Amino acid sequence: MKLPLKQPSQIALFVSLALGLSACNDTAQVPPPAAEQAQQIDSAAAIEFINKAEADLASLNVEANRAEWIYSNFITDDTAALSAAMGEKVTSTSVRYATEAAKYAHVELDAVNARKLNSLRSSLVLPAPLDPAKNAELASIASELNGMYGKGKYCFADGRCLTQPELSNLMAESKDPAVLLEAWQGWREIAKPMRPLFEREVELANEGAKDLGYADLSELWRSQYDMKPDEFSAELDRLWTQIKPLYDALHCYVRGELNEQYGDEVAPNTGPIPAHLLGNMWAQQWGTIYNTVAPEDADPGYNVTELLAKNGYDEIKMVKQAEGFFTSLGFDALPDTFWSRSLFVQPQDRDVVCHASAWDLDNLDDIRIKMCIQKNAEDFTVIHHELGHNFYQRAYKNQPFIFKNSANDGFHEAIGDTIALSITPKYLQQIGLLDTVPDASKDIGLLLKQALDKIAFMPFGLMIDQWRWQVFNGTIKPDQYNQAWWDLREKYQGVKAPIARSEADFDPGAKYHVPGNVPYTRYFLAHVLQFQFHKALCDIAGDTGPVHRCSIYGNKAAGAKLNEMLEMGASQPWPEALNVVTGTKQMDAKAVLDYFAPLKVWLDEKNTEANRQCGW
């Protein structure tokens, strides 16, 4: 679910301004005071710097996107070298521009240029030190880590060597705890060699952050949300506090059902849940164990994976259908180049980075996805998510380059998921996948399936950057990486490693976003925002039924309001963008609780009936 991020940069800028004052007659203009005159000079220099930086960055971004696209689709030593060289160029330029931008931090500017200047300084993800040698080292490490993940495989005793998507499929389908454990443990072997590289990467990036005036990389990452870093951390705590009671009820119910399935030795009915039993390589979403934990009377009577197969949906048709949702809202169809240049199916003749991602190659219309699509319900949803990035990218294409991004990174992740919330039985019937819409008695099953993906994900979405921020600021030392990782997973998720782990392991590296240097808090924010957006768009569409039954498919009024927000890009603080669709400037998880309110009542009843001891 990654999309390439634009990175500001810097070039040495020398501006010489000549000021001419007229003194031809008694009405000659009086020179401004020295302080005001200096401010005018500084403002002019700052604006000239911003314009130059923006033009250079726009050009460099296209070049970098093309190099990274080739590397991600053709992983070889040569493409790795080209990617590393381009990464070095982008990083060095970015750091120089960010450093230059910091020099103008005191200058009074109009709102647009002030926002651009702040973006130039703060929106780096992996800042390198000014030292060229260290810059080159950081670029090489980042490229190597990405390649190690992309080329990762685990080979079973029978000779089968599976990639991460194939192993994930196995974990979604198997109910044999021995097979699940082997796949879980095997994939984490690829991460062990990453540990020293990651440690050095943190050292270099922290040095780069300090060169920009930040205490460390944690402070830099948390400064990108139109509020002070500590205020942003407090905002995350507030949102999680709203959600946690619902998560606790779900965790308690699932743990009890797994205990009944596997018994005490494999799945204890108290304490954290062993991570390999939840149907996902990282225990981040639990939807694939729905059949294990669903109540007998809650089956909606259909399975989207089976419906896709029955109706002849191949990889392309899945993408076409997702596109159709957006066009039904009034968005233009995807360009022909999207279909000819995207990657939809895993090639058999080369290594690629299979992790699903959305790309904007030229900052205009060359939008693509790269995804090794599996013909199942999960990827049907993921495709909607990735196209959400693409339609967002195209919506803000007329913004200045620095504003060609989402209001905050959680917005970018939320848009496709907002659309996916409208993949209701009614929608499936509208597109011909489903004959009959189940009655309301089946809603608990549908909500449980949603919660296993959406609510189960939220603490995972929060904890990854909680871990990284503490690594960056030195709270977590290198010799504590793995222990701290599992401490946080237990704290937030209530899950544990199924076998003993040590500091010889580097389990964070088995999750793409860590070696790929992709901030993760955006996904937590997206899981809050998508419900806010969904509720607001349903209101705009005039839907008066239960919000979990609402689909905005085909509603042009909802599409127009959504597009109005998307076109803003990053030109305004995110509360302003949020206000366009929702009518409020504060993120709020109440919409999450409203959506799942019937399920929460049901979970509490079931946990009470079974006399379960909730918590861990």
Side-chain angles (χ1 to χ4, degrees):
M1 299 177 226
K2 172 204 173 192
L3 72 162
L5 296 178
K6 300 175 177 66
Q7 298 183 12
S9 46
Q10 175 214 332
I11 192 169
L13 181 67
F14 300 94
V15 180
S16 208
L17 296 175
L19 297 179
L21 300 175
S22 172
C24 297
N25 52 47
D26 291 340
T27 61
Q29 193 173 28
V30 178
E36 183 179 341
Q37 188 176 34
Q39 169 63 31
Q40 290 174 351
I41 295 172
D42 283 350
S43 297
I47 291 170
E48 186 167 348
F49 158 72
I50 291 166
N51 292 339
K52 169 64 174 171
E54 191 162 38
D56 287 350
L57 285 168
S59 177
L60 182 62
N61 183 254
V62 174
E63 186 180 357
N65 283 344
R66 296 196 188 287
E68 186 61 24
W69 175 265
I70 293 169
Y71 172 56
S72 293
N73 284 278
F74 301 87
I75 302 176
T76 68
D77 291 341
D78 292 327
T79 58
L82 291 172
S83 173
M86 192 67 233
E88 180 183 347
K89 181 178 179 180
V90 168
T91 303
S92 62
T93 306
S94 300
V95 170
R96 289 198 308 272
Y97 271 128
T99 305
E100 186 79 7
K103 297 178 182 178
Y104 295 102
H106 68 285
V107 177
E108 292 184 16
L109 295 168
D110 61 275
V112 171
N113 280 302
R115 186 164 181 81
K116 287 183 178 181
L117 188 72
N118 183 65
S119 179
L120 286 169
R121 176 172 175 252
S122 69
S123 58
L124 290 169
V125 172
L126 202 66
L130 294 174
D131 182 336
K134 290 181 177 179
N135 177 17
E137 183 185 4
L138 181 62
S140 177
I141 289 173
S143 180
E144 186 174 355
L145 285 170
N146 201 33
M148 290 168 75
Y149 189 95
K151 292 186 289 187
K153 293 181 177 69
Y154 174 67
C155 297
F156 289 86
D158 61 9
R160 290 177 301 149
C161 292
L162 303 186
T163 63
Q164 179 266 304
E166 293 166 335
L167 288 167
S168 289
N169 247 12
L170 178 65
M171 294 194 71
E173 295 169 0
S174 177
K175 295 295 181 281
D176 183 337
V179 172
L180 295 172
L181 179 59
E182 183 175 2
W184 186 94
Q185 184 177 5
W187 176 246
R188 279 153 182 77
E189 291 297 307
I190 72 138
K192 288 182 178 180
M194 297 179 184
R195 188 182 182 111
L197 291 170
F198 179 80
E199 181 180 345
R200 179 59 176 158
E201 183 179 64
V202 170
E203 292 175 358
L204 293 169
N206 264 338
E207 186 175 336
K210 290 175 182 175
D211 286 344
L212 297 177
Y214 297 95
D216 49 54
L217 193 57
S218 167
E219 186 177 271
L220 189 154
W221 280 23
R222 291 180 294 125
S223 71
Q224 299 171 7
Y225 292 92
D226 295 307
M227 57 177 61
K228 294 178 180 178
D230 289 344
E231 291 176 356
F232 178 63
S233 294
E235 179 75 351
L236 295 178
D237 291 340
R238 181 184 66 81
L239 293 170
W240 174 237
T241 299
Q242 286 184 281
I243 297 161
K244 191 175 186 299
L246 175 58
Y247 178 79
D248 288 351
L250 179 68
H251 179 282
C252 188
Y253 172 79
V254 168
R255 183 180 59 192
E257 296 298 308
L258 289 174
N259 176 254
E260 291 186 18
Q261 168 83 10
Y262 292 109
D264 291 344
E265 289 200 9
V266 174
N269 62 4
T270 59
I273 301 172
H276 67 310
L277 301 178
L278 291 162
N280 177 273
M281 180 61 76
W282 308 279
Q284 69 180 59
Q285 291 163 310
W286 307 346
T288 57
I289 64 165
Y290 173 76
N291 290 336
T292 299
V293 304
E296 292 181 5
D297 60 350
D299 184 358
Y302 69 89
N303 178 293
V304 173
T305 299
E306 294 173 358
L307 291 175
L308 293 171
K310 178 182 176 182
N311 288 273
Y313 272 69
D314 61 10
E315 295 85 354
I316 301 299
K317 191 173 181 180
M318 290 170 70
V319 182
K320 285 282 188 183
Q321 184 54 61
E323 177 197 34
F325 204 121
F326 287 91
T327 57
S328 83
L329 300 178
F331 291 89
D332 291 338
L334 293 163
D336 291 342
T337 52
F338 172 88
W339 301 103
S340 62
R341 298 174 183 176
S342 291
L343 176 75
F344 303 117
V345 181
Q346 182 173 354
Q348 299 302 307
D349 61 344
R350 65 183 191 271
D351 291 319
V352 302
V353 176
C354 269
H355 187 85
S357 54
W359 298 66
D360 175 7
L361 271 288
D362 66 353
N363 305 312
L364 290 170
D365 295 300
D366 189 357
I367 49 180
R368 315 174 188 180
I369 64 170
K370 177 188 60 58
M371 182 176 175
C372 303
I373 296 172
Q374 308 292 311
K375 290 177 284 188
N376 59 32
E378 180 180 358
D379 276 9
F380 189 58
T381 299
V382 170
I383 292 165
H384 284 78
H385 175 98
E386 296 305 334
L387 292 194
H389 288 308
N390 287 144
F391 280 94
Y392 206 161
Q393 288 162 337
R394 191 170 61 176
Y396 56 57
K397 71 178 183 179
N398 293 324
Q399 288 287 348
F401 174 76
I402 291 176
F403 295 155
K404 289 184 178 184
N405 214 325
S406 57
N408 69 39
D409 52 11
F411 278 63
H412 233 311
E413 298 300 334
I415 298 307
D417 282 349
T418 300
I419 299 303
L421 288 175
S422 283
I423 303 177
T424 60
K426 177 184 175 183
Y427 165 64
L428 297 176
Q429 183 188 48
Q430 287 176 298
I431 64 175
L433 276 177
L434 190 62
D435 294 330
T436 305
V437 175
D439 62 46
S441 68
K442 303 301 183 184
D443 284 2
I444 291 299
L446 293 171
L447 285 170
L448 178 61
K449 182 69 186 297
Q450 283 273 54
L452 290 170
D453 282 332
K454 302 289 188 180
I455 303 305
F457 175 84
M458 288 187 170
F460 183 82
L462 191 61
M463 64 77 49
I464 286 188
D465 280 350
Q466 299 294 322
W467 178 81
R468 272 195 290 206
W469 294 344
Q470 292 180 58
V471 167
F472 295 158
N473 68 23
T475 301
I476 296 173
K477 308 298 183 187
D479 62 357
Q480 303 167 326
Y481 280 170
N482 223 51
Q483 181 63 48
W485 173 262
W486 286 106
D487 287 347
L488 286 170
R489 295 204 65 179
E490 181 170 336
K491 173 185 175 181
Y492 284 102
Q493 286 186 279
V495 303
K496 65 179 181 181
I499 54 174
R501 310 302 283 166
S502 74
E503 295 305 325
D505 300 302
F506 184 58
D507 294 331
K511 177 60 181 170
Y512 169 77
H513 299 72
V514 174
N517 295 301
V518 181
Y520 211 77
T521 300
R522 63 185 63 174
Y523 301 112
F524 173 77
L525 296 177
H527 276 66
V528 174
L529 288 167
Q530 64 186 263
F531 289 98
Q532 265 193 282
F533 291 151
H534 177 67
K535 176 64 167 65
L537 292 171
C538 287
D539 290 343
I540 292 166
D543 191 296
T544 57
V547 67
H548 63 270
R549 286 198 143 220
C550 168
S551 176
I552 64 168
Y553 178 72
N555 191 280
K556 298 294 196 296
K561 182 60 70 172
L562 178 62
N563 188 57
E564 181 184 346
M565 181 183 75
L566 301 186
E567 287 180 338
M568 293 170 67
S571 64
Q572 298 289 328
W574 65 259
E576 301 297 330
L578 180 68
N579 190 52
V580 168
V581 167
T582 68
T584 180
K585 296 182 180 182
Q586 184 179 56
M587 289 185 286
D588 188 3
K590 184 179 183 300
V592 179
L593 304 181
D594 290 345
Y595 188 97
F596 289 104
L599 179 66
K600 177 62 163 61
V601 172
W602 182 86
L603 289 171
D604 288 343
E605 290 175 352
K606 291 298 178 182
N607 289 332
T608 300
E609 288 173 8
N611 197 28
R612 290 170 177 148
Q613 297 180 359
C614 297
W616 57 86

